[in-house]
């Protein structure tokens, strides 16, 4: 069983800040900011595309709720929200999790647009056509 499944079942301790029947939110054990939180569905899904559609709303409603908790708890209303989907993106645990990273003045972080520097060598209209053709 995966690490996050064990946490959701209470078999591994975690600093839980929110829980409902579908979702668990806990502080990251290796935080990159005060209040860095992971929100995970209780149903094991490796990536967002694996998550059943009926669990999308509960997951993202919980992300919104936890953001409000963090605003009040750590004193910021600035966040970077992210999902690493797949190993190449940096996903280390094969269980979908949404990072909520509180942001503070002078924290040294950047925006999501600075994560990758791999501009396409093709025109974006060609990429659009490739995507549409593949999903036809």
């Amino acid at each position: 069983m995966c690490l996050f499944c064990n946490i959701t079942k209470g078999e591994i301790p975690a600093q839980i800040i929110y829980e409902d029947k579908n979702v668990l939110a806990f502080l990251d054990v290796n935080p990159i900011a005060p209040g860095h939180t992971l929100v995970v569905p209780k149903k094991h899904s490796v990536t967002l595309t694996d998550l059943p559609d009926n669990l999308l709303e509960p997951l993202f409603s919980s992300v919104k709720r936890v953001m409000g908790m963090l605003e009040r708890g750590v004193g910021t209303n600035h966040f970077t929200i992210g999902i690493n989907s797949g190993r190449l993106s940096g996903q280390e645990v094969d269980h979908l999790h949404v990072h909520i990273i509180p942001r503070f003045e002078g924290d040294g972080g950047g925006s999501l647009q600075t994560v990758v520097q791999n501009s396409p060598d093709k025109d974006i209209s060609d990429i659009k056509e490739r995507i549409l053709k593949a999903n036809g």
Side-chain angles (χ1 to χ4, degrees):
M1 185 158 313
C2 87
L3 173 67
F4 290 167
C5 286
N6 287 334
I7 290 172
T8 64
K9 292 180 180 188
E11 296 168 0
I12 294 176
Q15 299 299 316
I16 297 168
I17 62 169
Y18 176 77
E19 181 174 11
D20 65 27
K21 68 179 185 174
N22 296 304
V23 173
L24 189 73
F26 51 92
L27 299 178
D28 193 306
V29 296
N30 296 304
I32 60 173
H36 178 180
T37 299
L38 303 178
V39 181
V40 304
K42 289 183 176 179
K43 176 171 179 38
H44 181 80
S45 300
V46 176
T47 66
L48 189 61
T49 55
D50 296 329
L51 187 69
D53 287 348
N54 66 314
L55 295 177
L56 288 169
E57 189 279 331
L59 176 63
F60 285 99
S61 289
S62 296
V63 168
K64 179 180 176 183
R65 179 182 301 253
V66 171
M67 287 173 65
M69 293 172 66
L70 292 171
E71 284 181 15
R72 294 182 293 278
V74 300
T76 186
N77 62 354
H78 303 270
F79 299 93
T80 296
I81 310 301
I83 298 172
N84 295 318
S85 185
R87 293 290 172 173
L88 289 178
S89 75
Q91 184 175 7
E92 296 177 358
V93 177
D94 291 328
H95 186 120
L96 171 62
H97 51 290
V98 180
H99 290 263
I100 304 175
I101 303 167
R103 300 300 301 272
F104 301 91
E105 185 74 38
D107 67 12
S111 68
L112 288 177
Q113 297 89 325
T114 63
V115 173
V116 176
Q117 300 300 317
N118 185 22
S119 297
D121 55 1
K122 294 182 179 186
D123 188 273
I124 62 170
S125 63
D126 293 334
I127 296 169
K128 172 191 160 194
E129 291 306 317
R130 181 175 163 195
I131 293 167
L132 293 177
K133 184 177 179 182
N135 290 281

